[in-house]
Amino acid sequence: MKHFLLFLGLLSLLSTRPAGAQTVYNDLESLINDQISSYSLSFDNQFKLAAYTELKGDYSPEFNTLTLDFGALGQVAFYRNNLLFKTGNQVYHLNRGENGTVGAAAIDVKLEELFEQILLLGNQNADPRHIYFVDQHLARKNIEPFDKIFLRHILIAYGRYRPEEGYVEFHTDWLPGSTFEYRSPHDSSLVRKPISPLRIRLDPQILRGYYIRAGGTVYVENVDREVEYATGEIYSYNVAAFKLFLQKIFVQSVQYVVQEETQRLGQQGRTVAFVPHNLPATELAPPAPTFYADQGRPEAVHTIRPRPRVTISAKTAAAVAPLYHPYSWIPMMLNILRNQKINIGDPDVICYFVDAPYFERIYAQLTDEERMRVDAYLAAQP
């Protein structure tokens, strides 16, 4: 229980500010590429820092400073010409362009150690060639940051790397089980359902998803601009179709990901740092998927995702909704607790949430048994 109280404390810290709502920089993608790509870090560390920046980065235009807060694990700050990394009682410094020094190597190692302590950002002891291939060919896809992080985890933890053929592939048949638990908005409890066969293939040119039974495909290509890392601010019909496909992968695999990740982190005695995800499973009422064949596909219609803290007219805001939701970490948290046989209604747990502004969102996703425990706790309060 102590381990999960630490987890909940850190979760409360990270969820106080919605993902993506911290930056006022006019071009987030340029900021990420200018700041992170200018330091001699491994590509793996650059990829993770870039994705985390897109999720949680805090940019100060007054001081031209980009800060990444990892809660109790540490903090990374990018200044105009310097990088400062604080972890525990240690502080590491790196100059822009500095390469081959002891300090540069040390900060790379310490960043690797930090990411191994974060849910979904560990490397699973995979072949370094496998890791680099996935990082390299996901980096320039303009999909949302959590989608990119979750897909990276799936392709590294469960995917199979074929270096001779030049691709990484994942099939839902390779998950540890053949069923998943799901609670729709109309269900009072979790329902066990069979996993539908889906397949993903990543190669240097394209990221493709396959609906095995329906015979449809969805795809995402590299952005047509010269960047190391592409943000999910501009998306098209094909990206939206792939996002729906990835949501289905998420719903079917999240319980296995949660189980194995919490076991991994628990065995190492590490605090679980939480990365919020994009859409609650309870909001994934599956509409009929839209398939885009390679021949005769419609022209991409690009839409700009509205940037928080930038003035947006009511008409524009209503027309273009954000692709991920600031409170969508909730289902993964509930899965973690359920996996450990912990009822969120336990007094030592629910006390962290009852006064939070997102409490009603949590309550709406509870099972009947969990709601009974929460109601009993609330009734006992003075």
Side-chain angles (χ1 to χ4, degrees):
M1 176 68 77
K2 180 180 179 181
H3 173 77
F4 281 93
L5 293 181
L6 290 172
F7 156 72
L8 292 173
L10 184 55
L11 170 60
S12 298
L13 170 66
L14 295 182
S15 63
T16 53
R17 299 182 301 175
Q22 301 86 304
T23 180
V24 295
Y25 203 80
N26 289 333
D27 187 343
L28 176 62
E29 184 173 279
S30 296
L31 170 67
I32 290 174
N33 282 278
D34 176 62
Q35 290 280 30
I36 296 173
S37 301
S38 299
Y39 292 91
S40 58
L41 303 171
S42 70
F43 192 82
D44 187 50
N45 280 335
Q46 287 186 24
F47 178 94
K48 293 170 182 175
L49 288 170
Y52 200 86
T53 297
E54 195 177 356
L55 273 172
K56 303 292 295 180
D58 190 350
Y59 178 71
S60 169
E62 180 181 359
F63 301 104
N64 193 21
T65 304
L66 171 64
T67 304
L68 307 181
D69 188 358
F70 295 96
L73 299 177
Q75 184 183 83
V76 176
F78 292 89
Y79 299 94
R80 185 181 300 274
N81 294 304
N82 311 95
L83 182 160
L84 196 67
F85 176 32
K86 300 178 183 178
T87 179
N89 58 0
Q90 297 174 308
V91 179
Y92 298 87
H93 173 270
L94 186 63
N95 294 320
R96 182 186 287 253
E98 179 182 342
N99 191 15
T101 65
V102 174
I107 202 168
D108 235 349
V109 169
K110 288 298 180 180
L111 280 171
E112 289 175 6
E113 292 177 357
L114 178 142
F115 286 123
E116 285 297 319
Q117 300 176 67
I118 298 179
L119 191 70
L120 300 182
L121 289 179
N123 282 340
Q124 309 297 316
N125 295 317
D127 184 332
R129 297 175 302 167
H130 183 172
I131 296 167
Y132 179 77
F133 186 94
V134 173
D135 288 341
Q136 180 186 24
H137 299 303
L138 277 184
R140 294 187 62 226
K141 306 294 189 296
N142 62 311
I143 54 180
E144 295 295 331
F146 180 82
D147 288 355
K148 202 172 288 186
I149 289 172
F150 188 80
L151 182 56
R152 177 191 181 275
H153 177 84
I154 288 290
L155 290 173
I156 289 176
Y158 303 103
R160 298 176 185 177
Y161 177 43
R162 310 293 191 191
E164 296 79 9
E165 292 83 359
Y167 66 83
V168 171
E169 190 172 52
F170 163 76
H171 198 299
T172 50
D173 285 351
W174 302 342
L175 290 170
S178 59
T179 62
F180 68 100
E181 292 183 337
Y182 176 79
R183 179 186 176 275
S184 75
H186 307 293
D187 295 328
S188 61
S189 60
L190 297 173
V191 178
R192 187 172 297 275
K193 298 185 177 182
I195 289 177
S196 300
L198 303 171
R199 182 163 62 98
I200 294 177
R201 176 177 289 195
L202 173 68
D203 63 39
Q205 286 75 42
I206 196 164
L207 170 64
R208 197 183 302 275
Y210 300 86
Y211 291 90
I212 305 300
R213 290 176 181 164
T217 65
V218 292
Y219 69 94
V220 180
E221 299 170 304
N222 289 340
V223 296
D224 58 356
R225 50 192 183 273
E226 292 300 320
V227 294
E228 292 292 329
Y229 180 90
T231 63
E233 298 178 80
I234 301 175
Y235 55 97
S236 55
Y237 284 130
N238 62 297
V239 176
F242 184 85
K243 181 176 177 64
L244 174 61
F245 173 85
L246 194 56
Q247 288 171 358
K248 295 177 182 295
I249 293 277
F250 176 85
V251 170
Q252 296 186 128
S253 63
V254 66
Q255 71 183 70
Y256 299 108
V257 170
V258 164
Q259 180 178 356
E260 296 189 358
E261 277 288 83
T262 52
Q263 287 176 353
R264 177 182 70 86
L265 292 163
Q267 289 168 357
Q268 296 170 350
R270 292 169 174 168
T271 302
V272 179
F274 191 84
V275 179
H277 67 83
N278 57 335
L279 281 174
T282 55
E283 294 182 9
L284 298 181
T290 302
F291 304 130
Y292 293 94
D294 291 335
Q295 302 297 324
R297 66 192 181 198
E299 291 296 322
V301 177
H302 293 280
T303 310
I304 304 299
R305 171 161 56 88
R307 177 168 304 289
R309 294 193 187 175
V310 174
T311 301
I312 301 173
S313 68
K315 181 178 180 181
T316 302
V320 185
L323 286 184
Y324 54 83
H325 196 283
Y327 298 115
S328 54
W329 46 266
I330 293 171
M332 185 174 284
M333 176 197 72
L334 293 174
N335 268 288
I336 291 173
L337 294 174
R338 290 163 182 161
N339 179 60
Q340 298 297 315
K341 309 301 182 187
I342 297 174
N343 190 312
I344 192 173
D346 290 347
D348 289 341
V349 178
I350 195 59
C351 63
Y352 287 95
F353 300 105
V354 290
D355 295 323
Y358 45 79
F359 173 69
E360 289 185 4
R361 297 176 181 271
I362 295 177
Y363 190 84
Q365 299 183 46
L366 301 182
T367 64
D368 287 349
E369 181 181 356
E370 290 165 342
R371 288 184 181 182
M372 289 175 61
R373 296 288 293 274
V374 172
D375 291 344
Y377 174 85
L378 295 174
Q381 301 308 299

